[in-house]
Amino acid sequence: MMPSSIEVLEVGARDGLQNEAVTVSTALKLELIDRLIGAGVRRLETTSFVHPAAVPQLADADDVMRGVSRVDGVVHQGLVLNERGFDRAHLGLCDEINVVVVVSDEFSTRNQRMTTDEMLDVVDVIAARAALVGTPMSVTLSAAFGCPFSGEVDPGRVEAIAGRIGALAPAQIALADTIGVGVPAQVTDLVDRCRRAAPDVALRAHFHNTRNTGYANAFAAIEAGVVTLDSSVGGIGGCPFAPDATGNIATEDLVYMLERSGIDTGLDLDELIRTAQFVGEILGSTVPGNLSRAGRFP
Amino acid sequence: MMPSSIEVLEVGARDGLQNEAVTVSTALKLELIDRLIGAGVRRLETTSFVHPAAVPQLADADDVMRGVSRVDGVVHQGLVLNERGFDRAHLGLCDEINVVVVVSDEFSTRNQRMTTDEMLDVVDVIAARAALVGTPMSVTLSAAFGCPFSGEVDPGRVEAIAGRIGALAPAQIALADTIGVGVPAQVTDLVDRCRRAAPDVALRAHFHNTRNTGYANAFAAIEAGVVTLDSSVGGIGGCPFAPDATGNIATEDLVYMLERSGIDTGLDLDELIRTAQFVGEILGSTVPGNLSRAGRFP
């Protein structure tokens, strides 16, 4: 049974820009965020509080949060990987934080210099601190559909991690196909497992279109009961482990598919298409999303 | 309930090449077909018997059928729009024919110089002649998800046309999203309608990825009970009404999604990827399919 509406979490300003080669100024990031809000976006992954050396594109995270438009009902999410990041998100007045746990030890160690279990201990600490100040925390299970280093990921392991995180009562748990290898049958299975493991936690999903399965996965996730989908305007956000591959599913293409399927997103498709074209101008390249080239229908 | 296997009808040699700007020699077409058969393809839209002036790329249809490899169990389908085309397909020893009926009058008139009803009268004649010589006939309902000239297509009209064609007992009826505007909810609705209108006829579906809904539509079609999906190796076959847009769903990307979802296609993914790369070399461009760039997983 399909829902009548779904929430879209716009990740273009963070996950989208993070892997783009062109460095985008703080002013242009703020303009992008304003345009997105103007297109009806009400929840954004606004930036990431990681070490500037690790992700130069987002070294201006504190400036972005200082300059960002505060609009009633608009939620700015900050990505956080440790206590230092949490401090910065808190000082930057992020409305919510999102913590990333990479579910394979190989990828987790390369990305965050700790195993998945060690990262889960960090999540415990961040959760306690977030609860203390009343900031909603979500957790993304990264590489849940496959790991670029160790290959297949055991879905039972994802389920167990979701259970451990569920005990912290986060606002949402997100299943992320970080490298774009997932397929619809996997989506259905992993969503079911997460619901069993954390029955009281709302579920979110995050797909990349690297192997052209992203939109089919998004639809399968909605069918399976996910209430929020991540997407990036223009579909930017290529993965460093899959050169030349497309990035996140594009917000405008997702909204086209959903609205024409009778699922409301609250977003303005024409404004999204214009914003995708703006992103293309910023980056000096054609964005991976198709709507801004093919046009809407009818 | 998902099936354990699905048939893929490879349309690269016809629908794929038809709209490509680069003229491909007969020899290269035959090599492409041989490679596809080598990758396990058992049913191909091999060519089209239309007037050479209308589709110069396929002016060598008779030569292609004379030169094509005849392999046990491999079905060569020829596209036919009139009696003259049927004669050529019959002389060329096509194993089956496919007739295209454009379901909107505006598009049908521009494409075939007759209304949908007039074309349905032609289908009656071709069906009688095909039955006389024992050649299986399928019918594709083109632009069933939307028309580039008149916009939305009434699904009740598609249902009525499927009913009239169903009375001819064709081998299959195909629902085609010729311009790539369809979405999964539409797929479910139209497949249900066609099944009601023609309960004894097997259903096929044909999707373009113009607006990034092609693979989601393919999955929805399988869920709805379609037994055959059209796709083109490399995803070639851009639509002349949507410049710069991608073409058919790519066979290799479709097979990746299906096989990883536990649905067998009988096709060899590695060979398909190599064939998609071969198509890119022939056309001197990067093919729209993603697998040949991103690589398979794991």
Side-chain angles (χ1 to χ4, degrees), chain A residues 152 181 211-212 256 260 295, chain B residues 152 181 211 253 256 260 295:
Chain A
E152 297 287 5
V181 296
R211 287 167 184 81
N212 255 328
Y256 174 81
R260 204 162 155 72
Chain B
E152 297 287 6
V181 296
R211 287 167 184 80
D253 292 14
Y256 174 81
R260 203 161 156 71

Side-chain angles (χ1 to χ4, degrees), chain B residues 76-136:
Chain B
H76 291 287
Q77 180 188 85
L79 188 152
V80 161
L81 294 176
N82 49 38
E83 282 195 84
R84 172 80 187 106
F86 178 80
D87 289 341
R88 291 171 65 199
H90 184 58
L91 287 169
L93 301 178
C94 283
D95 301 296
E96 63 171 329
I97 58 163
N98 189 54
V99 188
V100 174
V101 174
V102 183
V103 302
S104 88
D105 281 327
E106 291 82 348
F107 197 178
S108 183
T109 304
R110 288 184 193 231
N111 205 53
Q112 279 152 244
R113 293 188 202 154
M114 56 182 83
T115 65
T116 304
D117 269 344
E118 288 166 349
M119 185 62 202
L120 285 168
D121 292 339
V122 173
V123 175
D124 287 343
V125 176
I126 296 174
R129 294 201 48 198
L132 209 61
V133 293
T135 301

Side-chain angles (χ1 to χ4, degrees), chain A residues 145 147 151-152 181 183-186 209-212 215-216 219 223 244 253 256 260-261 290 293-295 297-298, chain B residues 145 147 151-152 181 183-186 209-212 215-216 219 223 244 253 256 260-261 290-291 293-295 297-298:
Chain A
F145 295 79
C147 169
E152 297 287 5
V181 296
V183 295
Q186 236 182 330
N209 199 38
T210 316
R211 287 167 184 81
N212 255 328
Y215 300 89
F219 210 82
E223 279 189 319
D244 290 327
D253 292 15
Y256 174 81
R260 204 162 155 72
S261 289
N290 279 350
R293 273 166 291 152
F297 180 87
Chain B
F145 295 79
C147 169
E152 297 287 6
V181 296
V183 295
Q186 234 182 332
N209 198 38
T210 315
R211 287 167 184 80
N212 255 330
Y215 300 89
F219 210 81
E223 279 189 318
D244 290 327
D253 292 14
Y256 174 81
R260 203 161 156 71
S261 289
N290 280 349
L291 254 282
R293 274 166 291 153
F297 180 86

Side-chain angles (χ1 to χ4, degrees), chain B residues 7-224:
Chain B
E7 181 188 54
V8 174
L9 171 53
E10 168 62 46
V11 303
R14 200 287 299 177
D15 197 32
L17 290 181
Q18 173 162 336
N19 289 307
E20 296 294 335
V22 175
T23 303
V24 178
S25 71
T26 306
L28 280 174
K29 285 176 188 162
L30 294 174
E31 182 175 350
L32 171 60
I33 290 166
D34 275 347
R35 284 177 184 241
L36 288 165
I37 294 171
V41 169
R42 290 295 170 265
R43 193 175 174 204
L44 305 94
E45 190 184 43
T46 304
T47 190
S48 169
F49 298 97
V50 293
H51 196 285
V55 186
Q57 180 74 275
L58 303 176
D60 61 353
D62 307 298
D63 292 335
V64 166
M65 285 313 300
R66 255 191 298 275
V68 89
S69 296
R70 305 288 179 163
V71 177
D72 260 6
V74 172
V75 171
H76 291 287
Q77 180 188 85
L79 188 152
V80 161
L81 294 176
N82 49 38
E83 282 195 84
R84 172 80 187 106
F86 178 80
D87 289 341
R88 291 171 65 199
H90 184 58
L91 287 169
L93 301 178
C94 283
D95 301 296
E96 63 171 329
I97 58 163
N98 189 54
V99 188
V100 174
V101 174
V102 183
V103 302
S104 88
D105 281 327
E106 291 82 348
F107 197 178
S108 183
T109 304
R110 288 184 193 231
N111 205 53
Q112 279 152 244
R113 293 188 202 154
M114 56 182 83
T115 65
T116 304
D117 269 344
E118 288 166 349
M119 185 62 202
L120 285 168
D121 292 339
V122 173
V123 175
D124 287 343
V125 176
I126 296 174
R129 294 201 48 198
L132 209 61
V133 293
T135 301
M137 176 191 80
S138 291
V139 180
T140 291
L141 307 188
S142 183
F145 295 79
C147 169
F149 305 110
S150 53
E152 297 287 6
V153 168
D154 173 14
R157 179 175 165 90
V158 178
E159 184 175 343
I161 294 168
R164 176 156 167 197
I165 293 167
L168 302 172
Q172 287 190 323
I173 293 176
L175 283 164
D177 184 12
T178 311
I179 58 170
V181 296
V183 295
Q186 234 182 332
V187 173
T188 308
D189 176 54
L190 283 179
V191 170
D192 287 349
R193 285 174 181 271
C194 282
R195 188 179 295 109
R196 280 200 301 272
D200 299 326
V201 180
L203 298 179
R204 183 159 61 87
H206 176 103
F207 298 112
H208 284 245
N209 198 38
T210 315
R211 287 167 184 80
N212 255 330
T213 60
Y215 300 89
N217 290 343
F219 210 81
I222 297 173
E223 279 189 318

